[in-house]
Amino acid sequence: MPEESSPRKTPQNVLYQELPHIVNADGQYLFCRYWKPPAAPRGLVFVAHGAGEHCCRYDDLAQMLTDINFFVFAHDHVGHGQSEGDRMIVSDFHVYVRDSLQHIDLMKKDHPGLPVFLLGHSMGGAIAILTASERPNDFSGMVLISPLVVASPEAATPIKVFAAKVLNLVLPNLTLGSIDANVVSRNKKEVDSYTTDPLVYHGGLRVSFVVQLMNAIAKIERCLSKLTLPILVLHGIPDKLCDIKGSYLLMDTAPSQDKTLKVYDEAYHALHKELPEVTSSVFKEIKSWLGQKLPGSQEGHRP
Ligand code: 9JX
């Protein structure tokens, strides 16, 4: 018998055979997370985490959705958390979308007939939008927390975009600045737990990654007019990382009949990790919105 090739381990040195995982189309192992409801599931929610973070940071949010009998699932995108891949490098942004569709298709097979929802934060919002636009009839709704839809105007002047693309040809691994967690949330406890989270990427953004983000944004611009599913967007006005203009654009452009934008006047980017009053409102809005989209729930259909 031929010797088994050495068993695969996470970047943290844990055997994948001991963790829930999928193997993507490139043969990379992706760490998965499943939150099971206490009773028979009424719907599926796929959570797309954002750049530099990982899916276990959505534990509270997912837990809350299992209370109303959603089956919630997620994975760490390539190059993130407990998944394989060079840290925060992706050959093409579409890899994130492709892997998400693979995981969603797998869970749909396990739970035939249930409505499927997408939930994404920041870059995870961009992944959710592109995933929905690729499968216009597959999803019953999409929740976006401060989604990445447009580039921040001062960060992406035509000259800088051109410079990034040229730089990418010569120095793709050059790292630019990293994020200051204090501009992402006003909650010091959340800033602290983010800053000390060992599964978070605390390094700088690579030029090659910036180019992938810009490609994704350009694609989203062309995709918004294809979104016909129910959409809930939550965004803070003073968001310094993903401009709220992106959510206004989405609301103006998406042909969905059922779209809601909940604006927070003072909250920063990480609305689900913000001051307790913001985060509890965000959780409450998401829970009631998703609950209303389930078949058998007649809210919104009454005259
Ligand atoms: C920019 C670019 C999007 C490096 C980051 C308290 C994103 C908390 C938290 C997790 C924010 C979620 C989002 C420069 C350098 C585009 C404070 C960059 C970026 C990077 C996402 C997710 C912090 C940031 N912060 N982001 N998070 N991130 O897509 O939970 S809690 Cl990566």
Side-chain angles (χ1 to χ4, degrees), residues 222-260:
R222 303 190 297 268
C223 279
L224 290 178
S225 61
K226 287 195 269 173
L227 296 175
T228 53
L229 76 177
I231 305 173
L232 171 66
V233 191
L234 308 108
H235 217 129
I237 290 178
D239 190 325
K240 290 191 194 74
L241 210 55
C242 294
D243 203 299
I244 193 171
K245 283 196 190 89
S247 287
Y248 294 143
L249 178 71
L250 188 150
M251 290 299 288
D252 288 342
T253 315
S256 303
Q257 292 293 307
D258 176 354
K259 46 187 176 182
T260 307

Side-chain angles (χ1 to χ4, degrees), residues 50-51 53 57 121-123 177 181 184-185 190 194 205 241 273:
E53 57 164 350
R57 296 186 55 77
H121 164 58
S122 196
M123 182 191 83
V184 179
S185 169
E190 292 294 354
Y194 176 78
L205 207 57
L241 210 55
K273 305 276 181 187

Side-chain angles (χ1 to χ4, degrees), residues 49-54 57-58 80 88 121-125 148 176-187 189-195 200-201 203-206 209 213 241-242 269-270 272-274:
H49 74 71
E53 57 164 350
H54 59 96
R57 296 186 55 77
Y58 292 81
H80 287 79
M88 278 202 80
H121 164 58
S122 196
M123 182 191 83
L148 173 67
L176 308 171
S178 52
I179 27 174
D180 173 4
N182 283 295
V183 307
V184 179
S185 169
R186 294 171 298 167
N187 186 331
K189 264 168 88 179
E190 292 294 354
V191 167
D192 218 53
S193 80
Y194 176 78
T195 317
V200 161
Y201 175 78
L205 207 57
R206 286 190 175 81
F209 198 81
L213 287 178
L241 210 55
C242 294
H269 182 62
H272 58 308
K273 305 276 181 187
E274 248 280 342

